[in-house]
Amino acid sequence: MANESVPQNSPPRKRVSPRRAASVQSSGEALLDSIRFFSHTLTLAGQTLSTLLTGRFALRDLLQQMSSIGVDAAGIVLIMAITSGSVFALYTASLASSMGFTEIVGGTLAYAFFNELGPVLGGIAYAARSGAAISAEIGTMVVTEQIDALRAMAVSPIRYLVAPKVLAAVIMLPLLTTLADVVGLGAGMLSSSMNGIPTASFMASVYKYANASDLTNGLIKSVVFAFLIAIVACQQGLSTKGGATGVGRSTTRSVVLCVMLITIADVFLANLLKHHR
């Protein structure tokens, strides 16, 4: 009698839901976009540094960029410095008065502004104004094929556009940060005096608790932030696709990325520079 084969039941296959499949695909695309962004940005940064070190850019273009993306951003940076300095001093003076430690108000404000508030708030304001302007300008040139025209005439967009903007940002943001420190500290002193802290006591506290290395640390941060803002804004502008809508997307993405990178870089720089006080 022939042995009858017994069919073996195979385990049922698990069906992947369309929502989960779409989620996995979206995550994969986001990862690829991130890798592509960092790759393009690092390549652009290397090309820009090479151009700057060899001096292959026009001084006229640099001065023009210092005016358009530096001087024009002074207003928003100073407004943020004045308001944040006033509010920070208001809370600090109120708390110090209630605890009887009024002699620390000026030093606390100066220490916070030199190390953190000045460079970070100045960098965010600069990204919102000048970073957006850089991305929009280059993005518009891309969609109107002006970048292709430059390449057709054997003119490097890195030398003509990117390098002057990056160097202008690296020069101007530390200057704006220094100005923001001074103005913010002055606004804080005025706010403190209106809340019972004598001006002489405020200034004595500044000289006691703040020193030159705090200002130096803030300027180092502002140089790094300026380079990040300019490089990311240029990269987003050069990656623009899709006409006027694409320019808007690139500009928005540029500001978001710049703010994120500023805050992330600030964490590393703060830990690195704390040992140099």
Side-chain angles (χ1 to χ4, degrees):
M1 184 175 182
N3 294 330
E4 295 182 356
S5 61
V6 180
Q8 299 188 4
N9 296 328
S10 61
R13 295 183 178 178
K14 294 182 179 180
R15 297 183 62 185
V16 180
S17 64
R19 180 179 300 179
R20 185 173 181 180
S23 176
V24 172
Q25 183 180 1
S26 177
S27 300
E29 291 177 354
L31 179 60
L32 290 176
D33 288 341
S34 299
I35 295 174
R36 193 178 298 112
F37 163 73
F38 284 109
S39 175
H40 291 174
T41 303
L42 289 175
T43 301
L44 181 62
Q47 294 173 343
T48 303
L49 288 175
S50 175
T51 301
L52 291 175
L53 291 176
T54 55
R56 293 181 299 171
F57 61 92
L59 180 60
R60 181 184 61 184
D61 296 333
L62 173 62
L63 295 177
Q64 181 180 357
Q65 294 302 322
M66 288 174 65
S67 174
S68 62
I69 68 174
V71 177
D72 292 347
I76 186 173
V77 172
L78 293 181
I79 289 174
M80 291 189 69
I82 292 171
T83 53
S84 59
S86 300
V87 174
F88 188 87
L90 171 64
Y91 287 122
T92 306
S94 301
L95 182 61
S97 298
S98 65
M99 300 178 63
F101 295 106
T102 57
E103 70 276 2
I104 68 170
V105 175
T108 301
L109 181 64
Y111 183 79
F113 240 101
F114 292 164
N115 284 282
E116 190 69 18
L117 294 179
V120 173
L121 292 180
I124 291 175
Y126 195 81
R129 196 279 171 200
S130 296
I134 291 172
S135 181
E137 178 187 349
I138 297 180
T140 302
M141 295 181 69
V142 169
V143 299
T144 56
E145 300 181 353
Q146 296 182 54
I147 299 296
D148 293 335
L150 289 175
R151 293 193 177 102
M153 294 185 295
V155 176
S156 169
I158 307 296
R159 178 177 62 83
Y160 182 72
L161 292 173
V162 178
K165 293 180 186 297
V166 172
L167 184 57
V170 170
I171 293 173
M172 295 305 298
L173 186 55
L175 296 178
L176 292 176
T177 300
T178 304
L179 186 59
D181 290 338
V182 175
V183 172
L185 198 60
M189 182 176 64
L190 180 61
S191 178
S192 298
S193 65
M194 296 173 62
N195 289 274
I197 307 298
T199 301
S201 175
F202 184 95
M203 293 305 300
S205 178
V206 171
Y207 291 125
K208 181 178 180 180
Y209 294 106
N211 52 49
S213 63
D214 297 322
L215 180 61
T216 303
N217 290 345
L219 293 178
I220 292 173
K221 286 185 178 182
S222 66
V223 170
V224 175
F225 296 162
F227 185 80
L228 288 175
I229 292 168
I231 284 293
V232 171
C234 290
Q235 188 273 333
Q236 288 297 305
L238 291 171
S239 302
T240 301
K241 297 178 182 178
T245 304
V247 174
R249 283 197 299 264
S250 297
T251 303
T252 303
R253 192 162 50 240
S254 171
V255 175
V256 172
L257 289 171
C258 287
V259 173
M260 290 175 58
L261 290 176
I262 285 172
T263 54
I264 294 172
D266 183 51
V267 175
F268 292 98
L269 290 172
N271 285 279
L272 180 65
L273 297 173
K274 70 177 180 180
H275 303 292
H276 298 281
R277 189 171 190 268

